[in-house]
Amino acid sequence: ASRGYALVSLDVPKPSKQWRFGERPIFENFAANFEAGVRYIVNVTGHYVAILDGIVFDSQCRFGCEITKHKSRRMRVHQAWRIA
């Protein structure tokens, strides 16, 4: 059940060739422009994280931690969604 939420896909730059991961944005830089008070889900190199107000929530950091301290901060973003 969706519980009334909708996912809006964000525009993530695609690499010119599938194997060129270096052309994808880094998680920390990509999330720096997120709006306050809006929830996001980001696929960071096969690992999904939730973000709210610059705090990352996932299985590695269940009670939340800042993006600058998260282990995935230097990984590449594959997909991202804003929860509406």
Side-chain angles (χ1 to χ4, degrees):
S2 68
R3 298 181 191 228
Y5 294 106
L7 294 177
V8 178
S9 183
L10 299 178
D11 185 32
V12 177
K14 302 288 184 212
S16 57
K17 300 205 185 278
Q18 187 177 13
W19 49 269
R20 289 190 158 176
F21 293 108
E23 294 179 5
R24 293 185 183 272
I26 293 175
F27 175 50
E28 187 175 19
N29 298 340
F30 185 75
N33 299 321
F34 285 173
E35 298 175 39
V38 179
R39 296 176 185 102
Y40 296 91
I41 296 175
V42 181
N43 177 354
V44 185
T45 317
H47 181 72
Y48 290 85
V49 297
I51 302 172
L52 175 62
D53 294 331
I55 305 296
V56 178
F57 301 90
D58 67 348
S59 58
Q60 296 174 0
C61 193
R62 292 183 188 176
F63 299 107
C65 63
E66 296 177 16
I67 292 173
T68 56
K69 297 178 182 176
H70 195 267
K71 293 180 182 180
S72 299
R73 70 183 178 276
R74 297 276 183 223
M75 294 181 146
R76 302 289 176 170
V77 175
H78 284 254
Q79 293 176 302
W81 301 270
R82 180 176 49 87
I83 300 174

